[in-house]
Amino acid sequence: MISDDTRFMALALQLGQRGLGQVWPNPAVGAVIVVQGRIVGRGWTQPGGRPHAETMALAQAGDLARGATAYVSLEPCAHHGKTPPCAQALISAGITRVVSAIQDPDSRVGGRGHAMLRAAGVEVTTGVLATQAAESHLGFFTRITQARPMVTLKLALSLDGRIATAAGESRWITGPQARARVHLMRAQHDAVLVGAGTARADDPHLGVRGLGIAAQPVRMVASAGLDLPQGGALAASAAEGRLWLLHGAGLVGECYDFWQAQGARLLPVALGPDGALAVGAMLGALAGQGIGRVFCEGGGALAAGLLQAGFVDRLAIFHAGLMLGAGGRAGVGPLADQPLALFDRFELAGTEVLGPDVLNLWRKSSAV
């Protein structure tokens, strides 16, 4: 039989996921206020990161929060930022018990929220659905503990692992249902990233369309020299905002001036020995800007660089029912010639049938 703690925490986690892709640099938290088995308040982190989930749930509960239990998908914050501590808000509202899924790794919290609650006489239970909470908060946790965002690498492939024909034709390998699923995944990440080759070949917009979602992820292109199409979709949409171009540090010249004039945000990144952007420095720069969840859509060179460095946390592999042969373009560029044991392993996390196509979702193996 499922306990009440598990049931209400599952709801808190579901509510928190409504904020994925919309609340960075804050975590996407959910909160539920319960009195004698009855839900009197619900909340989740709002777009832009505020108000926090606890604030929303307490406002809905009102005076009914006194003597109630609060279920929160992440330890309530204990520090004064742009808003007062959520732990203090729970205390002031008269909450007598807090059930928290997992401790916040942020050094400004890190157990202090739980300690503040206990010091005020609030009963605290932790670790309820902690594994699910760790998955839900992966991007925030990775940014805090590893100084980089979590990375989901998406590839749309033929059955033999090709992303395009030998001539470079790639639209469309997968069907409309798979493409709609991609837009939903974009919406659940803070940023969508492609390499310069993909930007030149496909001239993508990279935004979310067809879902009725107003909030858009940051659109990003990694291009050491900013040698990108100046008459296509990216340039035309730069004025819409949220277009970030990652380029080689120290870059000057006509390309730099053009994109700056278009209104794109230009982020310098150190170059690696091969003259390409160093992927570790690139992800570090994004984490420094508060980005916690990156949805990378290739191309092959960028995918290979992220995989080689061990920075891919999740794989979203869309397979279409066709074969393009050895002449087709590989989905991932060359990786280092190394023993099999040194390659990252991924575990199958789910499979979805999307019309004629199949999506396999993979997570990096915990044994890695």
Side-chain angles (χ1 to χ4, degrees), residues 14-244:
Q14 291 173 3
L15 291 170
Q17 289 171 1
R18 296 184 182 187
L20 290 177
Q22 301 180 42
V23 303
W24 63 275
N26 288 350
V29 178
V32 180
I33 310 296
V34 177
V35 176
Q36 295 180 349
R38 182 168 66 95
I39 296 172
V40 296
R42 303 187 310 160
W44 56 93
T45 311
Q46 295 299 291
R50 291 179 301 276
H52 291 182
E54 297 94 326
T55 301
M56 299 296 293
L58 288 171
Q60 190 177 89
D63 292 340
L64 295 176
R66 190 158 300 279
T69 296
Y71 294 85
V72 188
S73 67
L74 182 67
E75 177 186 6
C77 62
H79 61 287
H80 284 268
K82 294 183 178 179
T83 58
C86 289
Q88 184 57 57
L90 293 167
I91 294 167
S92 299
I95 294 290
T96 56
R97 180 174 181 244
V98 171
V99 181
S100 167
I102 195 167
Q103 182 171 302
D104 189 335
D106 191 323
S107 61
R108 297 170 299 176
V109 187
R112 292 181 178 86
H114 292 152
M116 182 184 294
L117 292 165
R118 290 188 174 107
V122 178
E123 179 186 348
V124 177
T125 300
T126 62
V128 177
L129 298 185
T131 299
Q132 293 89 327
E135 173 67 23
S136 183
H137 298 304
L138 179 62
F140 176 71
F141 284 10
T142 304
R143 182 173 69 80
I144 294 298
T145 62
Q146 300 182 39
R148 68 168 181 88
M150 66 86 72
V151 175
T152 300
L153 175 61
K154 167 257 171 181
L155 297 171
L157 305 172
S158 63
L159 292 176
D160 53 347
R162 307 293 165 176
I163 58 171
T165 65
E169 184 183 359
S170 61
R171 293 188 176 182
W172 297 96
I173 285 180
T174 54
Q177 290 163 283
R179 296 198 295 274
R181 184 68 172 89
V182 168
H183 281 271
L184 178 58
M185 297 178 82
R186 286 179 179 179
Q188 294 174 326
H189 286 75
D190 304 339
V192 179
L193 170 68
V194 297
T198 296
R200 287 191 289 267
D202 297 341
D203 190 29
H205 180 276
L206 301 177
V208 175
R209 300 184 300 276
L211 300 179
I213 296 174
Q216 292 285 331
V218 179
R219 300 172 296 140
M220 297 183 177
V221 180
S223 175
L226 291 180
D227 48 339
L228 303 169
Q230 296 184 3
L234 281 176
S237 65
E240 297 174 13
R242 289 205 160 189
L243 175 61
W244 294 10

Side-chain angles (χ1 to χ4, degrees), residues 296-309:
C296 178
E297 299 195 38
L302 179 57
L306 291 167
L307 286 165
Q308 188 67 59

